[in-house]
Amino acid sequence: MTTEEEKATAPAGSARRALVGRLSWGLADQAASSMTNFAVGIYVARSLGVTAFGVFSLAWVTYGVVLNVSRGLATDPLVVRFSGVPDASWRGAVARSSGTALGVGAAIGAVCLVVGPALGGRVGPAFAALGVMLPGLLLQDAWRFAFFAAGTGRKAFVNDLVWGVALVPALVVAARVGSVAAFVLAWGASAAVAAGYGYFQSGIRPQLTGAREWLRGHRDLGYRYLVENVSLSGASQLRAYGLGAIVGVGAVGAVRGAELLLGPFLAVLMGLSLVTVPEAARVLRRAPHRLGTFCLLLGGGQAAAALLWGGALLLMPDRLGELVLGGVWHSAALLIVPVALGVAGAGLGTGAAAGLRALGAAPRSLRSQLFASACYVGGGLGGAAVAGTVGSAWGVAAATVSGSAVWWLHLRSALRERHHHPIPEVRTS
């Protein structure tokens, strides 16, 4: 090998090692996050039973909607435009974006506090508790995005570990109280501990006063991502509420139980942009011709892993299933095949979604998500009307596969357009 070849090879090797390192921390962080979510779900399911677990699941999917509002307005623009930028630019952007996330949590949390008592029953106290906890939950998520944008996934991993450790005593206390609201408070309070630790990790104080500047400066992406994200989580919420109305609240608990069995992959899908969008943005800047391959490997790998995990779940003996989910197991076991296929379809689509985000192709991304969300609600509720809980699960599986195909068609078109009209999306101020 000549000296020139060695010089050319060394940077490439260093870049690959850096990429593997960042992705490894991303996978570790997602593992920690998925284990936390899995532990909460399992503990609540075993402690409360299928009906109360359905109430907790309604609060959970509502949190998912609010989380996606925060991500669309605050942290999705951050990872698209401030991944790998100079430290000073990153710190200023993080202060404003985390302040925006905190403001979203406070505003929607106040609404939950008003609506909760009006709902009454078991659902009302759970929603009121969620309102109290939303600012801490959203700030903790904002730190994770910030760390991955800077390429310091190790800090996000440590932050999630802090959440998991704080969760253990909180769940023990909640179990003694024995109500859905107590478990919501325990889950949110432990997240608030991790959010406080994120301040010490970063040394950045969230700027609530910078929220208006942040929203104004990134409205071209933020509002499109807001609609896109809310359509995703809103579809899940509509499906959960509709399923509860058509079949019963117990059906919501059964679906959530089946999703818990696929928990590692669902958690990765929910927070995938923490790792993939920053990395896709880096691939786009350094080797644009490799973006399509990167997205295909990403989506295909997740789909294959979800199918393998689903196959393993089918071999799980009933005694082990009952040990994990308690009384929820028997109704959840009937849904393993369609839920696994749905997760595989969604996993394939996330590869294309990461590519569209990195390209800043917000209009295409929005159209893809709106189509996928419409299919999700239609399939989930139409299936429930025809064949109950099982029919809803199969309807969602068909919807996610169809939505994935649309994501990939739009990514292919966006990659072709970029050759003629390059769009710079990384900012340094």
Side-chain angles (χ1 to χ4, degrees), residues 15-355:
R16 281 193 296 270
R17 284 193 296 271
L19 172 61
V20 170
R22 290 191 297 269
L23 289 177
S24 296
W25 281 117
L27 291 174
D29 175 72
Q30 292 301 331
S33 176
S34 65
M35 288 303 295
T36 299
N37 293 334
F38 184 75
V40 171
I42 294 301
Y43 201 85
V44 175
R46 290 184 58 82
S47 300
L48 299 180
V50 66
T51 301
F53 184 56
V55 175
F56 181 85
S57 299
L58 291 178
W60 184 284
V61 297
T62 302
Y63 158 71
V65 175
V66 181
L67 179 66
N68 279 299
V69 171
S70 175
R71 288 181 175 180
L73 293 176
T75 50
D76 282 343
L78 176 75
V79 296
V80 170
R81 287 178 165 161
F82 293 91
S83 292
V85 301
D87 184 68
S89 298
W90 173 81
R91 293 180 70 84
V94 169
R96 296 189 297 276
S97 67
S98 60
T100 303
L102 195 58
V104 169
I108 301 182
V111 175
C112 290
L113 285 172
V114 173
V115 172
L119 293 174
R122 286 183 171 183
V123 177
F127 273 72
L130 179 64
V132 174
M133 295 295 110
L134 276 176
L137 284 163
L138 298 190
L139 181 58
Q140 191 274 340
D141 187 71
W143 291 132
R144 296 173 70 214
F145 272 79
F147 294 141
F148 278 107
T152 55
R154 176 181 59 83
K155 291 184 177 181
F157 171 71
V158 172
N159 193 277
D160 271 324
L161 283 184
V162 170
W163 187 0
V165 171
L167 186 63
V168 174
L171 287 178
V172 172
V173 174
R176 292 182 178 179
V177 177
S179 68
V180 177
F183 279 101
V184 174
L185 289 172
W187 165 54
S190 54
V193 172
Y197 183 66
Y199 166 74
F200 290 102
Q201 285 179 294
S202 64
I204 300 173
R205 179 177 298 176
Q207 294 179 359
L208 278 169
T209 56
R212 180 177 297 180
E213 178 187 351
W214 179 262
L215 293 173
R216 183 172 60 250
H218 302 281
R219 60 181 178 272
D220 58 325
L221 292 183
Y223 293 122
R224 284 192 173 101
Y225 288 157
L226 169 64
V227 176
E228 178 183 330
N229 290 354
V230 171
S231 71
L232 170 63
S233 54
S236 298
Q237 191 174 26
L238 287 174
R239 187 249 184 143
Y241 290 163
L243 183 61
I246 295 170
V247 184
V249 176
V252 181
V255 170
R256 178 60 186 156
E259 291 174 346
L260 278 175
L261 297 174
L262 274 294
F265 301 100
L266 287 172
V268 169
L269 292 178
M270 288 177 64
L272 193 62
S273 59
L274 292 172
V275 182
T276 56
V277 175
E279 292 307 325
R282 290 184 176 94
V283 171
L284 180 63
R285 291 200 305 273
R286 297 171 181 172
H289 61 285
R290 295 180 181 173
L291 180 61
T293 302
F294 173 82
C295 294
L296 182 60
L297 291 174
L298 174 68
Q302 283 205 96
L307 291 175
L308 288 173
W309 186 265
L313 289 175
L314 291 176
L315 303 177
M316 179 184 294
D318 286 339
R319 291 183 61 184
L320 182 57
E322 292 171 358
L323 179 64
V324 174
L325 287 179
V328 179
W329 161 254
H330 294 287
S331 53
L334 301 174
L335 310 179
I336 289 175
V337 172
V339 170
L341 290 174
V343 173
L348 185 61
T350 54

